[in-house]
Amino acid sequence: MKKRTLVKVRNLDRLFDVSKPLLNRIIEREERKILRAVDDVSIDIEEGETFALVGESGSGKSTVAKMVVGLLPPTKGSIEIDGIDLSDKSKVKELRKLRSEIQMIFQDPFASLNPRWRVEKIIAEPIRSFSLEKNEKAIIAKVAELLTLVGLDPSDGRKFPHEFSGGQRQRICIARALASKPKFIVCDEPTSALDVSVQAQILNLMKDLQDEFSLTFLFISHDLSVVRHMANRIGVMYLGRIVEISNSKDLFENPKHPYTKMLLDAIPDLEMSGKNRNPIEGEIPNPIDPPKGCTFHPRCPFVNERCRKEIPMPIEKDGSIITCHGVEEGRIGKEQGA
Amino acid sequence: MFNKIHDNIFRALNSDFLYSFKHSPVAIVSFIVALTLVLGAVLAPFYAPHNPFDPATLNLMNGFSAPMKPNEFTGETFLLGTDDQGRDVFSTILYGMRISLFVGFAAVTFAMVLGVSLGLIAGYVGGWLDALIMRIADVQLTFPGILVAMLIFGIAKGFTPIDQRDQMAIWVLIIAIGLSEWVQFARVVRGATLVEKNKEYVQAARLNGRRSGGILIGHILPNVLGSVLVIATISLALAIIAEATLSFLGVGAPPTKPSLGTLIRIGQGYLFSGEWWILLFPAVTLLALALSVNLLGDWLRDALNPKLK
Amino acid sequence: MSEILLKIKDLIVEFPTRRGLLRAVDKVSFEISKGEVLGIVGESGAGKSLTGAAIIGLLEPPGRIGGGEIIFDGQRIDNLSDEQMRPLRGKRIAMIFQDPLTSLNPLYRIGEQLVETIQTHLSMDNKQARIRAIELLDEVGIPAPETRIDAYPHQFSGGMRQRVVIALALAGEPDLIIADEPTTALDVSVQAQIISLLKNLCKERGTAIMLITHDMGVIAETADRMAVMYSGQIAEIGKTYDLIRNPKHPYSVGLMGSIPAIKGDVKRLVQIPGSMPRLNNIPKGCSFNPRCEKVFEPCYIKRSPLIDVGNSSVACWLYDEEYKGAKKK
């Protein structure tokens, strides 16, 4: 049974101008520098699933997240959520309604809450802003309900953010995100600032809430084990492009793109205790001046002439979407079997 | 309700802020000096021996009385002596301080409102508007504040009818000093706004449909107020000195309504003829006022930003 | 068991504050043998970094050693003055910090920094030291070290910078390296490279490592033995393999269960309720008692000493003979 597609991202591009000011450029005779943070990204997210984007720093995963929630306009491409194009200015009313259904949970629980506001005011902000409750009394009741929902006490609403630990703050952020009854929540590294035991609490809470309110998550993370735990489907990003989209299980058991394989090999794992590994060579190139052809080719063990010249296009294979000449030609899949 | 107030007082008494105050002798002394001077000035009409602004009470025969000595003609004794027109120096200082403080506070408030608004807009909106505001600020910084104030004062004087000049002088002073000090506020607020606007709570507010105005006033302003308070205190000391300087140069408060600066200007004419008290006492008061407010501002900066030390 | 290099006994690190004396490290004892890798894990605020800083004498004031002994190679070093510590620091005990960017001086070339460090610890002339520096860069896997030695830190990538920092740490040929979160600032693929580098270099030279990290995976791959710290105390210490497969302290059990595994499907992670107590609010008895599922009477009264269970030592009353009967009732 195929579920409804809630989020449809098509050919998304995002450029950043990172050149020096005009005067400096003229004096130092430098060219404009353009950073292509996101390059031709297309994703479909089904209703009720958790889609994860993983990648190392500079892969563009957070930029995708910001564009999907509408914090950053795309340079090119389209984002459609619940059938409405985010850039369609003619549907003002629908867009405002849609905004209340998209929420975001941020990475840093210390920066994502206004330090001068009481928790109850923070959580009530979406309710007031979108006029979701009729009177003050209903808002107070709703805030208390949300606080209980995320495992805090209704009396905590009187406190200020600095009176809470990192994990509790992230609960407050989740309560705020739920306040506008969203359908779709983008989680940008929601646990990377937390300790493992607290991370477990937050991940469990997010899973419970997803079941209870049938939420759809776009989950951004660099931590593959967290992604494995949370996601149904995973997209792997490298230098602004998606190199592989697979079901979570397939990706971990049978990674197809050489970069995915490399990432999986690199994770330090409890299972590796007492064993040696062969680390992968090289580092991520400078995204301002990415390699020609397939951006992964300088680190790829299966590189050939075509990879150095031609940018690969995504192809579908065994239910996954792969962007690799080697896989397309059948070079890479075979070698692994041998 | 009572409990809530009690709770707040309790929290304030235990705060780090108060702790830092209690452990800083300089802050305590400055606070006491500043408070005494301000209260002394504000309450002057209730206890000052004379009203120096009321010519009817003046007796020219009392002129040049030395402090604590009976006047040779009238036999009256004055605590800090009298000036050339027989005005009691103690009273003129108290009333002069009222004018100095009023001009200082009003000028700082004006500079603060102007600077904070422009700083918030420049930082939040960015782009050409930011560039425009900050370039104007840069240009103004290249002129000394006093020069800017004198320029404004001179222009304003040209447009005011002669009979209203004394009335207008105070307000022109306030605007002149205020305009020469807004740059500090604008720069600091712009910097703080640039930092705050990229924090995730501002992004969350944007996601939640808040408009720019609401975010600026509701979210960013409360978070930049701490640094504004520090500059306001230091600016107050500067504004008082600026007012004294302008009045000393004869472009500020008129001799009929003398501020501390005007008193010093009057007094310096008699310094070498032996009537030292006419100059000394207003000067010492100005020094004490400006210094205590400035030290208080220094302490405030350290207390609010422990990392800056 | 090989020769003991570092012995810590009842180490206390405390901070005088106006709300009283806070104990950030509370009677921690452990040993490191020559050539051994000891991993120290714990959540933020558990006191693991402070333990490392105390050993090398780099506690930031007002933090200070409030008691206990640190014995390095038979010599007591916790009461040495800064002057007396200097010949040890860098030469015999080296330190690697989390952020490679701040560990290197951006104004000097890599070579200058290496040569200076080498000459501080070993008597070599400029030429010899430079040759040695190139050797070191080669050993830590920097390509074309002859040319790269004259580069500035900003010309290196994050992983390469951390390699340079390791080369700096190795310059004095130390017996012990304290590595405080050496891979936290790096990307996963680079992290693996640095871990194997550190591990292999120390194996060749017989250098002991005290590896401080919050990342259990890093410890699992690198450490021979590991200690789990909780609110300034050691909860459990033992062989890495045993501790990960078969944790005994309820906190270690929770910690291991809360890590999402790469292999195998877990529907729910084990979660420890609550969070670590703040330093000014540590509960009486065992500091873990408010979060512990297996808590019983003695836990509220007194903190358990380290009790030997199998190959590990556990600070938990559950393993005390006296209470074994009582608990079952």
Side-chain angles (χ1 to χ4, degrees), chain C residues 164-208:
Chain C
V164 174
V165 173
I166 293 176
L168 273 172
L170 292 172
E173 291 165 3
D175 300 306
L176 173 68
I177 294 180
I178 298 172
D180 190 355
E181 306 270 7
T183 59
T184 310
L186 306 173
D187 278 313
V188 229
S189 62
V190 183
Q191 189 177 327
Q193 300 168 4
I194 299 294
I195 297 171
S196 3
L197 174 74
L198 201 59
K199 196 175 161 184
N200 293 335
L201 281 179
C202 292
K203 197 175 266 173
E204 284 164 26
R205 289 155 185 261
T207 310

Side-chain angles (χ1 to χ4, degrees), chain B residues 37-109:
Chain B
L37 289 173
V38 171
L39 281 182
V42 172
L43 301 176
F46 297 106
Y47 73 97
H50 298 266
N51 181 355
F53 294 169
D54 182 2
T57 64
L58 294 183
N59 183 352
L60 272 178
M61 299 298 281
N62 279 331
F64 301 118
S65 308
M68 296 306 289
K69 280 193 188 127
N71 185 281
E72 47 186 310
F73 306 108
T74 61
E76 286 181 64
T77 310
F78 298 90
L79 181 66
L80 300 180
T82 60
D83 66 359
D84 54 340
Q85 300 174 52
R87 289 187 294 204
D88 173 33
V89 171
F90 181 57
S91 302
T92 45
I93 286 176
L94 290 177
Y95 277 82
M97 215 158 49
R98 281 165 70 91
I99 291 173
S100 292
L101 281 169
F102 175 72
V103 171
F105 274 111
V108 168
T109 311

Side-chain angles (χ1 to χ4, degrees), chain C:
Chain C
M1 199 73 195
S2 54
E3 208 181 324
I4 285 170
L5 178 70
L6 180 79
K7 188 182 163 97
I8 311 265
K9 217 177 136 203
D10 292 333
L11 179 72
I12 293 173
V13 175
E14 56 193 15
F15 287 85
T17 70
R18 65 188 169 94
R19 295 196 173 92
L21 209 56
L22 297 183
R23 262 195 196 180
V25 176
D26 191 3
K27 296 200 175 170
V28 162
S29 305
F30 60 83
E31 288 163 2
I32 302 180
S33 309
K34 284 195 172 149
E36 182 189 40
V37 181
L38 175 75
I40 309 248
V41 278
E43 303 181 65
S44 44
K48 50 192 195 306
S49 291
L50 285 173
T51 309
I55 293 169
I56 199 165
L58 287 178
L59 278 178
E60 292 265 342
R64 62 181 188 219
I65 295 178
E69 288 176 11
I70 302 170
I71 296 159
F72 177 76
D73 209 10
Q75 184 194 4
R76 196 166 161 189
I77 59 167
D78 56 284
N79 48 10
L80 292 186
S81 69
D82 223 34
E83 200 54 45
Q84 291 165 307
M85 248 333 255
R86 196 161 297 151
L88 279 174
R89 204 182 286 153
K91 168 83 182 93
R92 303 208 56 200
I93 309 176
M95 185 129 190
I96 298 173
F97 295 98
Q98 175 173 346
D99 187 358
L101 197 53
T102 50
S103 318
L104 295 170
N105 188 333
L107 294 177
Y108 292 95
R109 295 171 200 275
I110 296 294
E112 290 167 335
Q113 301 188 43
L114 266 169
V115 166
E116 194 199 330
T117 314
I118 292 169
Q119 288 181 331
T120 318
H121 303 306
L122 310 170
S123 52
M124 281 188 182
D125 62 33
N126 285 341
K127 214 170 174 186
Q128 285 173 311
R130 193 178 157 86
I131 292 169
R132 178 82 191 109
I134 293 172
E135 278 172 22
L136 277 170
L137 288 178
D138 191 37
E139 278 180 67
V140 295
I142 288 181
E146 302 83 5
T147 49
R148 301 288 274 167
I149 189 168
D150 290 320
Y152 287 95
H154 70 88
Q155 293 168 301
F156 283 65
S157 65
M160 285 298 159
R161 265 185 227 135
Q162 197 61 302
R163 285 171 193 267
V164 174
V165 173
I166 293 176
L168 273 172
L170 292 172
E173 291 165 3
D175 300 306
L176 173 68
I177 294 180
I178 298 172
D180 190 355
E181 306 270 7
T183 59
T184 310
L186 306 173
D187 278 313
V188 229
S189 62
V190 183
Q191 189 177 327
Q193 300 168 4
I194 299 294
I195 297 171
S196 3
L197 174 74
L198 201 59
K199 196 175 161 184
N200 293 335
L201 281 179
C202 292
K203 197 175 266 173
E204 284 164 26
R205 289 155 185 261
T207 310
I209 307 179
M210 179 173 154
L211 178 64
I212 300 166
T213 179
H214 68 278
D215 190 331
M216 209 69 70
V218 171
I219 294 264
E221 286 196 19
T222 323
D224 302 311
R225 284 194 310 134
M226 67 185 276
V228 178
M229 282 189 77
Y230 184 79
S231 70
Q233 299 162 10
I234 289 184
E236 183 168 356
I237 181 166
K239 285 242 158 58
T240 309
Y241 189 86
D242 294 335
L243 220 156
I244 285 175
R245 294 298 151 107
N246 185 17
K248 298 197 173 56
H249 194 288
Y251 175 65
S252 325
V253 175
L255 203 59
M256 301 301 159
S258 63
I259 302 166
I262 286 291
K263 296 181 182 73
D265 283 292
V266 189
K267 270 278 154 269
R268 268 184 87 78
L269 300 168
V270 177
Q271 66 177 57
I272 314 173
S275 51
M276 196 153 64
R278 289 183 186 186
L279 283 181
N280 54 9
N281 195 19
I282 291 178
K284 195 173 166 341
C286 172
S287 56
F288 187 60
N289 71 42
R291 302 175 73 189
C292 186
E293 281 182 346
K294 297 184 171 169
V295 63
F296 64 119
E297 301 84 50
C299 307
Y300 295 109
I301 300 158
K302 214 178 146 213
R303 162 187 166 192
S304 162
L306 281 170
I307 300 164
D308 288 338
V309 186
N311 283 328
S312 306
S313 302
V314 189
C316 178
W317 290 119
L318 284 174
Y319 299 94
D320 190 279
E321 287 300 329
E322 199 184 317
Y323 294 109
K324 271 203 170 147
K327 185 187 70 195
K328 275 177 189 140
K329 271 180 233 164

Side-chain angles (χ1 to χ4, degrees), chain A residues 276-289:
Chain A
N276 255 322
R277 68 159 73 243
N278 297 316
I280 323 85
E281 291 302 313
E283 291 185 36
I284 303 172
N286 185 350
I288 292 174
D289 187 21

Side-chain angles (χ1 to χ4, degrees), chain B residues 1-9:
Chain B
M1 189 65 198
F2 178 75
N3 260 340
K4 200 179 132 193
I5 293 167
H6 184 263
D7 191 48
N8 282 341
I9 292 172

Side-chain angles (χ1 to χ4, degrees), chain B residues 263-277:
Chain B
L263 292 179
I264 293 170
R265 178 164 63 97
I266 296 168
Q268 57 107 21
Y270 303 102
L271 184 59
F272 298 106
S273 56
E275 290 84 17
W276 49 269
W277 58 89

Side-chain angles (χ1 to χ4, degrees), chain A residues 47-99:
Chain A
E47 199 162 27
E49 77 166 341
T50 300
F51 184 91
L53 275 181
V54 288
E56 301 178 82
S57 54
S59 64
K61 53 191 192 304
S62 288
T63 311
V64 171
K66 282 197 177 129
M67 286 193 282
V68 169
V69 293
L71 280 175
L72 202 68
T75 308
K76 234 168 74 191
S78 70
I79 301 159
E80 205 179 294
I81 299 177
D82 218 2
I84 301 167
D85 192 316
L86 282 189
S87 60
D88 191 350
K89 293 278 185 280
S90 64
K91 295 179 175 168
V92 178
K93 222 175 156 192
E94 287 93 332
L95 270 177
R96 182 135 182 104
K97 168 102 176 43
L98 183 65
R99 287 240 175 278

